[in-house]
Amino acid sequence: MSDAAPEPAVMVRGVTKTFERARVPALRGVDLTVQPGEFVAIVGPSGCGKSTLLHLLAALDVPDSGALVVGGHNLASGRRLNHYRARDAGIVFQLDNLLPSLTAAENVQAPMFETGRSRQERKERAAELLALVGLTGKERQRPAELSGGERQRVAIARALANDPPLLLADEPTGRLDSEAGRRVLDLLEELRARRGLTIILVTHDPAVAARADRTIRMLDGRMVDDGTAA
Amino acid sequence: MSFLSLIVKNLLRQPVRTGLTVLGISIGITTVVALGVITAGLKSTSGELITAGGSDFLVAQQGTADLSFSTVSEADWQAVSRMPGVAQAIGVLIHITRAGDNPFFPVLGIRAEDLARRAVPLREGVLFPPGAGDVVVMGDSAAASLGVGVGGTVLVDRRTFTISGIYHAGTTFEDAGLYAPLATVQEMTSKPGTVTALFITTAPDSSTAAVATTIEERFPNLEAVTSVDEYDEVDQGLRLIDAANLAISVLAVGIGAIGVMNTMVMSVFERTRQIGILRAVGWSGSRIMRMILGESLILCLLAAVAGSLLGVLATLAIAELPEVRTLLKLEFAPVIFVRALLVAVIVALAGAIYPAIRAVRLTPMEALRYE
């Protein structure tokens, strides 16, 4: 009988990153393993490197050294990152980062251009995702016509546009009031339960981190607690 | 939402800037179209002149700045007439002068017997007879413009001519002027014993090209013009207009490209963060580039349409000016509009390539951090 462990959803080994203008490294040899379907929160003070790590996992940047493998993609190689961003990982920012000239439905459709869906398929998929995040009837609203919580839910729907297995969220409730923030977190938990998503969320709020299966603590570009200790 | 509608939405974010950019480029396109239409018209008029009166080609002095400056001696005329293969050589002295409010009125001096042989169909009246003095036949558009008819008179260079007939030759240049006795025109212009050009009809069994070549070989001072492409050998004005047309097209491209680049650079700078968002959700560099080039292309295609319409309207207005009304024949050749389209596409690509490359070179993080 084979009891081989499942392939991790995320595997980070010895990742370092220093920004050109910064005096100190943002990441100094980070190791992290996340299993499929896990909900992980990364916490730490400002400047500890948690957002940098999340941006590397979203393939928005590349590490200086180390290994970064997500869903079989070697992100450290810097190759086929567009393909990865379009299909394998969705990201939700603290600021919703929606395109202001597009409607909610059009914002959700934006990532689908890279996956060859037809116009009709894009339209139907956007309506389905907006329904999933509880925004039926708001399809034609522009971001300026939506509340902060609604905009963040549109951003979540956009992140799920191409059905990625991994959802990355950078302080997704940071700009929301407590009720709107609670509803966004409820939605993330529900999506994880219904769709088996792996979720990695960055926050400085202990109450938000408490919703995760595991909390990773970072300090000065290093992981000081990977949340696996009993 | 289609990719095209996304591009259009991007342009409509700043409708005033988009409109002003389209207007700026369309002025350049207007110039290209208007000059193209006028140049094509002038060439067409020149082409008509080569075969005017049923002739096969025209012979004039080589290298003159303008056909009306050409001088062919009567001795050369007679020698050409006697050459093998030449069935008929009609000498015409062209004198451009003022008549009424038209400062470019063509007065064509011709012998009465040659006028009778030339295919100049009379609409009314009669041709002037041999030995006539101040009697002329006038083109129908000239008569209409001057408001005169058979039996009336026309004042040319302080001489009053009686109109014996009205003709319609079917060529802009002839119909906009008059035929007068050659001796009278030679006297008016102080050019005795000369004509401006010879209109040659070749014998039925002779080759036009061979006869033209033989004339050029035997008379090195003369040029045989068998097609409009050779016309600038005897009238360098067309060559100048062609050069001006090219220069203005290049200027239009240059100025237009700078205008488009300015607009697109501003647009890309303003949208750097949005471009970062699109990269973050998986858009490839090539799609970002296509989006920016698409925006530029739509701007320039709109300008091409607007500029072409304005160019047509401008040439129609120019053609109504009294100075050129009878002489300028407008030619709205499709090639002119294709050229305008080509200019627009070049402007679009030249203006958008730098901002597009800049947008693509930014990493998603750089773009997202941009404030």
Side-chain angles (χ1 to χ4, degrees):
Chain A
M1 190 174 89
S2 173
D3 271 338
E7 190 80 13
V10 173
M11 194 188 73
V12 180
R13 292 290 178 270
V15 162
T16 65
K17 178 73 185 177
T18 302
F19 294 106
E20 273 180 29
R21 291 180 186 173
R23 293 178 191 166
V24 292
L27 296 176
R28 309 170 189 238
V30 172
D31 295 329
L32 171 67
T33 303
V34 178
Q35 298 302 330
E38 210 177 353
F39 182 177
V40 173
I42 304 175
V43 299
S46 294
C48 71
K50 55 187 188 298
S51 288
T52 301
L53 177 59
L54 195 83
H55 293 154
L56 294 182
L57 292 172
L60 301 181
D61 212 341
V62 288
D64 296 336
S65 64
L68 191 66
V69 180
V70 182
H73 290 267
N74 177 9
L75 304 186
S77 72
R79 288 196 286 272
R80 289 176 60 80
L81 297 185
N82 294 324
H83 187 274
Y84 168 80
R85 287 194 291 261
R87 292 164 180 82
D88 297 298
I91 185 161
V92 179
F93 298 94
Q94 180 178 12
L95 296 169
D96 52 71
N97 275 343
L98 298 177
L99 299 171
S101 58
L102 304 186
T103 64
E106 288 167 344
N107 267 286
V108 176
Q109 287 179 46
M112 300 181 207
F113 281 101
E114 286 296 325
T115 51
R117 290 178 200 263
S118 70
R119 188 176 175 177
Q120 187 59 28
E121 284 171 341
R122 290 197 297 267
K123 191 177 172 186
E124 287 170 5
R125 174 86 178 139
E128 178 192 321
L129 286 167
L130 286 172
L132 185 70
V133 299
L135 289 176
T136 297
K138 304 271 186 180
E139 292 86 351
R140 297 175 72 85
Q141 306 275 324
R142 290 180 196 282
E145 298 162 342
L146 298 170
S147 69
E150 287 173 333
R151 285 202 295 272
Q152 205 57 296
R153 281 189 277 156
V154 174
I156 292 170
R158 182 180 65 186
L160 299 174
N162 294 321
D163 215 8
L166 175 64
L167 182 67
L168 303 162
D170 189 2
E171 305 261 17
T173 60
R175 295 283 180 102
L176 304 180
D177 60 49
S178 57
E179 176 56 23
R182 187 187 61 74
R183 291 180 65 181
V184 165
L185 291 170
D186 288 347
L187 175 62
L188 291 179
E189 282 189 342
E190 185 189 336
L191 289 170
R192 178 206 175 198
R194 284 170 58 174
R195 303 166 79 95
L197 277 175
T198 303
I199 299 176
I200 301 177
L201 177 149
V202 161
T203 183
H204 62 272
D205 183 344
V208 173
R211 305 279 294 260
D213 300 334
R214 178 156 65 108
T215 300
I216 293 164
R217 294 179 196 287
M218 289 187 69
L219 185 66
D220 299 334
R222 290 193 176 88
M223 202 168 286
V224 292
D225 178 3
D226 75 355
T228 54
Chain B
M1 176 182 64
S2 65
F3 189 55
L4 180 63
S5 67
L6 178 71
I7 287 171
V8 171
K9 274 175 185 260
N10 286 341
L11 289 173
L12 293 177
R13 282 173 65 246
Q14 298 278 359
V16 174
R17 186 167 68 199
T18 299
L20 287 174
T21 307
V22 168
L23 184 65
I25 304 163
S26 68
I27 289 169
I29 302 278
T30 299
T31 313
V32 170
V33 168
L35 264 176
V37 170
I38 291 168
T39 309
L42 289 173
K43 284 190 171 178
S44 170
T45 305
S46 307
E48 288 174 358
L49 192 61
I50 294 165
T51 54
S55 56
D56 293 317
F57 63 95
L58 172 155
V59 171
Q61 185 184 347
Q62 192 186 40
T64 51
D66 186 277
L67 180 64
S68 62
F69 299 160
S70 160
T71 300
V72 179
S73 68
E74 285 197 15
D76 283 349
W77 176 11
Q78 297 312 319
V80 168
S81 302
R82 288 192 295 272
M83 282 180 65
V86 175
Q88 178 177 286
I90 294 176
V92 173
L93 180 58
I94 299 173
H95 174 48
I96 305 295
T97 186
R98 174 174 283 280
D101 60 359
N102 183 356
F104 305 109
F105 188 84
V107 173
L108 310 169
I110 191 168
R111 288 177 181 162
E113 55 273 31
D114 285 341
L115 182 61
R117 287 191 288 163
R118 197 163 166 79
V120 179
L122 277 178
R123 286 217 159 153
E124 53 183 306
V126 293
L127 298 176
F128 53 79
D134 292 352
V135 181
V136 298
V137 288
M138 186 177 277
D140 54 358
S141 65
S145 174
L146 294 170
V148 294
V150 174
T153 59
V154 59
L155 185 68
V156 178
D157 285 356
R158 285 178 284 181
R159 279 176 88 139
T160 303
F161 292 87
T162 302
I163 301 163
S164 70
I166 303 291
Y167 63 83
H168 176 74
T171 62
T172 309
F173 193 72
E174 287 175 292
D175 291 341
L178 59 78
Y179 276 102
L182 177 61
T184 305
V185 181
Q186 284 175 333
E187 184 192 325
M188 284 166 69
T189 55
S190 304
K191 289 181 178 175
T194 67
V195 291
T196 305
L198 307 177
F199 291 86
I200 309 294
T201 307
T202 51
D205 56 346
S206 299
S207 151
T208 299
V211 173
T213 305
T214 309
I215 291 172
E216 285 180 342
E217 285 170 356
R218 186 160 163 202
F219 301 93
N221 59 320
L222 299 182
E223 181 76 30
V225 181
T226 56
S227 75
V228 72
D229 295 334
E230 297 171 358
Y231 190 79
D232 57 12
E233 294 294 332
V234 295
D235 191 336
Q236 295 185 18
L238 274 186
R239 201 178 280 175
L240 283 174
I241 292 170
D242 265 343
N245 201 357
L246 179 67
I248 287 170
S249 297
V250 170
L251 271 178
V253 168
I255 294 167
I258 289 167
V260 170
M261 194 182 293
N262 181 46
T263 297
M264 295 311 296
V265 164
M266 281 174 68
S267 174
V268 167
F269 268 58
E270 283 171 4
R271 288 185 294 155
T272 300
R273 191 174 170 80
Q274 289 182 33
I275 288 167
I277 295 167
L278 291 170
R279 297 299 304 273
V281 301
W283 275 37
S284 61
S286 72
R287 185 169 294 276
I288 297 283
M289 185 170 270
R290 274 181 281 155
M291 179 179 77
I292 292 166
L293 292 179
E295 289 171 21
S296 179
L297 205 55
I298 287 180
L299 272 180
C300 292
L301 291 179
L302 285 174
V305 172
S308 296
L309 285 173
L310 287 173
V312 169
L313 292 175
T315 48
L316 289 174
I318 290 168
E320 285 304 308
L321 294 174
E323 290 83 357
V324 295
R325 193 166 51 214
T326 50
L327 275 177
L328 184 61
K329 180 184 175 188
L330 299 180
E331 283 281 324
F332 296 104
V335 68
I336 296 163
F337 300 99
V338 171
R339 189 191 301 156
L341 195 65
L342 194 66
V343 166
V345 171
I346 293 171
V347 164
L349 296 179
I353 200 77
Y354 164 67
I357 288 173
R358 184 190 175 277
V360 168
R361 278 189 175 168
L362 284 171
T363 67
M365 254 351 275
E366 285 170 335
L368 285 167
R369 285 199 192 105
Y370 191 86
E371 293 296 338

